[in-house]
Amino acid sequence: MKFTDIAGPNATDAMRVLGRPTDRIEGPLKVSGRATYAAEFDVPGQLFGVIVGATIARGRIVAIDASAALAAPGVRHVVTHENAGELALGDDHKAPMLAGPQVDQFGQAVALVVADGFEVARAAARLVRVDYAADEGSFDLAQARDDAAKPHSAKRHGDFDTAFAEAEVRVDATYTTPDHAHAMMEPHASIAAWEGDTLTLWTANQMVDWAARDMAKVLGIPRDKVRIVAHHVGGGFGGKLWVRADAVLAAVAARAVGRPVKVVLARPQVFNNTTHRSATIQRIRLGATHEGRLTAIGHDSWSGDLPGGSPEGAGAQTRQLYAAPNRLVVERLAELHLPESNAMRAPGEAVGMMALEAAMDELAETLGVDPVELRILNDTQVDPEKPERRFSHRDLIGCLREGAARFGWERRVAEPGRVRDGRWRIGMGMAAAYRGNIVLKSAARVGVAADGCVTVTTDMTDIGTGSYTILAQTAAEMLGVELDQVTVRLGESGFPVSAGSGGQFGANSSTAGVYAACVGLRDRIAEAVGFDAATARFAEGRVWSGNRSASLGEAAGAEGIEVEDRIEFGDLTKKFVQATFGAHFVEVGVDDETCEIRVRRMTGVFAAGRILNPKAARSQILGAMTMGVGAALTEELVVDARLGGFINHDMAEYHVPTHADIPYQEVVFLDEEDPYSSPMKAKGVGELGICGVGAAVANAVYNATGVRVREYPITLDKVLAGLDR
């Protein structure tokens, strides 16, 4: 099915099942421990592999001695670059999954010890001796900033330099964000088994099709000889978009020993052997009239990655969020020899808005205007860079107004440091939220059996986001059956290729793929009973034509009916700007003596098209808002400038928020549809919720204390240093 024109009335509009706050259909499996994750498959005869990571960040392996490990009881094999065979580079990999002789990053796998038991393999891994010749590396973004003078990308509109220089009011501030870890609950894990020349890989991966593609390329085998299984994934946030060393080395080892091999990364290896979000340096320049209308917006950002990498797109939202006739967005990439930088939840906007929305607060302070009203004044319904291209649907103003009313923003005292609650200084802050709407082609197979039950099959993954449920809801809505009559099969490479889970595109794209298959199935069912497909109705488990009806089971017959189709999107995303919007409001308390910061309450209002499952969507926003608090106040990967790795590489020292850190969170979705986005008239929400939270917290801290911290995370020492007692 081609989606080239805006969606008109269709079967999803009934909202009988869709749009309802629905419990997850796989929930009972998860709470009872019966949902099987990658490391939990019971594959007969499996051995256990433990990775040995590089202890230098850059250089060469001079010699590697695995003899002591091989002599240990129970050890079956040690994989190194000397015996692994040729391994290619995956399409999205910046460095090989097995080092040798070149070492590209600290923690890069240099060996895999395979043994009868995990403890045996772990002990023997310590016996592998590696001699290195280390080269100097670049590990500090601030020091490497001058080496990244050439823009990786630059978007200009109008004459920014002149407009900023002549602006009546100017803000020129630099903000920094540190390296961030995905810190998902489930570590990277894989079990590999060969049957002849065919590989089966049970793995924790967000994108099944990409995993099959990369495994085939890395191993040098035909793609149809790779089977990926990822039925349940315990979180990813972008860190599991691509196969990593656990998958590649498990496959290499299993082929060498002729038995299945399981590899689970230890938590420090998740931090240093996989991907992370790069640190950023961001300079924001805003020029405005005395009334607050923006005349110039400039956003320069610096980030780092391994050679051949890409920058963190911190300027993405700055190109679209506010009107201003003169604009400059420049992104620069510094070559760093830290572990690979790559996508993390809301890549670009999550950290970009921590700078832009803090700068907007500084502008409001300078002008003496309300921060909400400043954003409303500078709203735009067209692409600021291409005014002839309007937004498909944009209600940022609605989010701002509704959020302000619900939060009680009118009670905010604009002058910082004026509100007290005992020993606590109280402050309110807000920020806009923005995340682009992405859609990708996505396929599904939907069938109905003789008993009237429906089965949905697609390689879409569920990374804790509720994919099983919204796909079941879509099929139930389209075919007029109850939710418990739908079975959903996900996460295998032999299934129709979906969009996968990432980039906030998964839900909207994959449900549209199910929609496409259901449209074809409805036609086949109507045809089977002699009804006009164009006018047939589906309800109560039956297909109706006027007063006549037949059950789906009757129509399907003993053989059943099955249809496979996919949604393919046209150029509507080029003709119209498609994006999601929101507004965050935060109240914090800052201890008068210690400057400990406590978030007291949060309100978020969002405009993201039709909400397919409000319960699941709210859960996604709550999690994203929590991640935003972490980015604002606690999260920082600390770089070891001597060795080039991350020091705080576990959940004890990489400080994500706990239940005690998070107060009451109110989440509100505006009632809207976007027929330009997909036949579902929906958009994504999973990444929108993190965008802007960090700035809202920072702005609240400023309102409480009068201290403007531009270096995230906002820790108490930074507030103490600036506090005027």
Side-chain angles (χ1 to χ4, degrees):
M1 173 183 288
K2 306 282 188 179
F3 183 72
T4 56
D5 296 312
I6 64 172
N10 63 48
T12 67
D13 295 337
M15 300 290 278
R16 181 184 61 88
V17 183
L18 287 169
R20 306 290 179 179
T22 305
D23 292 345
R24 296 186 183 182
I25 60 175
E26 85 285 5
L29 289 178
K30 289 182 174 178
V31 299
S32 64
R34 292 178 291 132
T36 307
Y37 292 83
E40 298 176 331
F41 281 89
D42 184 14
V43 182
Q46 71 182 7
L47 302 173
F48 298 82
V50 170
I51 286 177
V52 179
T55 56
I56 64 169
R58 190 169 182 237
R60 294 177 63 82
I61 297 172
V62 175
I64 186 164
D65 182 3
S67 58
L70 286 166
V75 173
R76 300 302 184 102
H77 187 58
V78 177
V79 176
T80 70
H81 72 280
E82 296 173 342
N83 61 20
E86 184 176 350
L87 298 176
L89 202 63
D91 283 359
D92 293 296
H93 292 158
K94 310 298 192 314
M97 295 299 99
L98 178 64
Q102 179 178 325
V103 175
D104 301 281
Q105 65 173 70
F106 183 88
Q108 188 178 13
V110 298
L112 178 78
V113 177
V114 182
D116 293 337
F118 167 69
E119 291 82 2
V120 175
R122 183 177 59 182
R126 299 176 65 87
L127 302 177
V128 177
R129 296 288 175 256
V130 186
D131 292 330
Y132 300 99
D135 295 334
E136 290 187 5
S138 177
F139 310 126
D140 188 294
L141 179 60
Q143 292 181 0
R145 177 178 175 176
D146 292 340
D147 296 330
K150 182 179 178 181
H152 189 277
S153 66
K155 303 296 181 181
R156 302 174 185 273
H157 187 75
D159 184 354
F160 168 79
D161 293 330
T162 300
F164 182 72
E166 295 177 353
E168 295 173 347
V169 179
R170 293 188 295 272
V171 167
D172 186 346
T174 297
Y175 307 82
T176 64
T177 62
D179 297 281
H180 288 153
H182 300 87
M184 70 291 288
M185 185 177 294
E186 178 199 27
H188 291 67
S190 296
I191 302 173
W194 292 84
E195 185 174 344
D197 60 354
T198 299
L199 169 68
T200 297
L201 186 72
W202 296 265
T203 188
N205 192 278
Q206 298 173 227
M207 306 289 290
V208 166
D209 187 57
W210 294 5
R213 174 201 69 191
D214 282 352
M215 288 301 296
K217 183 175 181 180
V218 171
L219 298 174
I221 63 177
R223 187 164 174 166
D224 62 2
K225 297 297 184 181
V226 178
R227 175 180 176 240
I228 302 294
V229 180
H231 293 161
H232 298 283
V233 181
F237 309 119
K240 294 174 182 171
L241 287 172
W242 303 279
V243 293
R244 303 303 303 175
D246 58 296
V248 172
L249 296 188
V252 171
R255 183 163 57 182
V257 301
R259 288 174 59 179
V261 174
K262 175 193 292 187
V263 179
V264 179
L265 296 190
R267 189 63 66 177
Q269 292 172 332
V270 175
F271 281 73
N272 275 308
N273 181 268
T274 67
T275 63
H276 74 288
R277 193 201 302 276
S278 170
T280 69
I281 300 170
Q282 302 178 57
R283 182 189 182 191
I284 305 290
R285 287 174 287 174
L286 303 176
T289 65
H290 288 302
E291 293 74 29
R293 194 170 297 278
L294 289 167
T295 58
I297 296 179
H299 192 160
D300 294 86
S301 68
W302 292 259
S303 57
D305 199 0
L306 290 169
S310 301
E312 179 77 16
Q317 72 292 319
T318 308
R319 298 178 59 192
Q320 306 289 349
L321 191 52
Y322 299 118
N326 304 287
R327 319 173 68 81
L328 175 64
V329 177
V330 180
E331 295 169 353
R332 295 177 173 86
L333 179 67
E335 185 176 293
L336 297 180
H337 303 108
L338 293 171
E340 180 184 338
S341 301
N342 219 312
M344 182 172 165
R345 194 178 201 171
E349 290 101 330
V351 290
M353 296 198 73
M354 292 171 74
L356 176 63
E357 288 300 284
M360 286 292 285
D361 199 69
E362 295 201 42
L363 179 61
E365 176 79 10
T366 302
L367 291 166
V369 303
D370 184 271
V372 172
E373 296 304 320
L374 176 66
R375 288 163 172 83
I376 292 173
L377 178 64
N378 289 285
D379 186 52
T380 175
Q381 292 297 313
V382 299
D383 183 344
E385 296 178 351
K386 299 178 181 179
E388 71 279 3
R389 182 172 172 249
R390 67 179 178 85
F391 281 86
S392 61
H393 192 279
R394 172 182 170 126
D395 195 8
L396 174 60
I397 291 178
C399 295
L400 293 166
R401 294 282 192 218
E402 182 71 16
R406 286 176 174 270
F407 189 73
W409 183 252
E410 75 281 358
R411 298 194 298 273
R412 171 182 175 268
V413 177
E415 184 180 352
R418 301 295 295 174
V419 180
R420 301 291 183 106
D421 181 5
R423 72 186 217 205
W424 297 92
R425 298 172 181 243
I426 308 302
M428 293 185 186
M430 60 78 53
Y434 173 96
R435 173 69 172 159
N437 182 57
I438 304 170
V439 287
L440 297 178
K441 63 184 179 182
S442 193
R445 184 165 57 246
V446 182
V448 61
D451 61 0
C453 289
V454 175
T455 300
V456 176
T457 305
T458 171
D459 80 352
M460 180 64 183
T461 53
D462 191 320
I463 60 174
T465 47
S467 300
Y468 279 100
T469 307
I470 57 171
L471 296 182
Q473 288 177 271
T474 302
E477 188 76 71
M478 291 292 295
L479 298 172
V481 300
E482 298 303 317
L483 197 63
D484 61 7
Q485 293 175 265
V486 181
T487 299
V488 178
R489 303 168 66 219
L490 299 182
E492 293 195 26
S493 56
F495 297 167
V497 177
S498 72
S501 295
Q504 195 174 275
F505 51 67
N508 189 22
S509 301
S510 63
T511 53
V514 172
Y515 170 92
C518 285
V519 169
L521 183 58
R522 285 164 60 104
D523 290 347
R524 289 277 305 278
I525 290 171
E527 179 186 348
V529 293
F531 293 170
D532 179 7
T535 59
R537 295 182 299 108
F538 288 74
E540 301 170 350
R542 305 179 71 82
V543 55
W544 297 78
S545 178
N547 293 325
R548 297 181 299 149
S549 72
S551 72
L552 297 189
E554 293 173 40
E559 299 298 320
I561 301 176
E562 193 171 67
V563 171
E564 181 175 328
D565 200 356
R566 71 178 183 181
I567 194 78
E568 293 183 359
F569 295 91
D571 60 357
L572 288 177
T573 55
K574 297 178 181 178
K575 292 180 178 178
F576 302 91
V577 187
Q578 296 187 18
T580 57
F581 299 90
H584 292 285
F585 293 81
V586 174
E587 180 181 283
V588 303
V590 181
D591 187 278
D592 194 45
E593 294 297 325
T594 67
C595 287
E596 173 192 0
I597 302 168
R598 285 285 177 183
V599 178
R600 294 160 65 102
R601 60 191 181 97
M602 306 175 73
T603 293
V605 179
F606 305 95
R610 174 184 283 169
I611 303 302
L612 303 177
N613 183 348
K615 188 170 188 177
R618 178 178 181 273
S619 177
Q620 283 295 291
I621 293 289
L622 291 176
M625 289 168 68
T626 300
M627 286 186 77
V629 171
L633 299 179
T634 63
E635 294 188 43
E636 177 180 12
L637 277 173
V638 179
V639 177
D640 185 332
R642 303 162 305 152
L643 300 178
F646 299 122
I647 298 170
N648 53 335
H649 48 217
D650 56 40
M651 301 298 283
E653 296 298 328
Y654 183 81
H655 296 149
V656 299
T658 66
H659 285 290
D661 298 313
I662 301 301
Y664 173 74
Q665 298 168 310
E666 182 183 21
V667 175
V668 179
F669 294 107
L670 298 186
D671 185 14
E672 69 169 43
E673 297 177 350
D674 192 337
Y676 296 84
S677 174
S678 79
M680 306 300 294
K681 305 174 185 177
K683 297 176 183 175
V685 299
E687 300 186 337
L688 174 64
I690 194 175
C691 300
V693 177
V697 173
N699 297 338
V701 170
Y702 174 76
N703 183 245
T705 64
V707 179
R708 183 71 70 178
V709 179
R710 302 186 181 95
E711 179 185 346
Y712 294 97
I714 306 169
T715 49
L716 59 85
D717 57 306
K718 297 169 186 173
V719 179
L720 271 170
L723 194 63
D724 182 15
R725 294 185 180 279

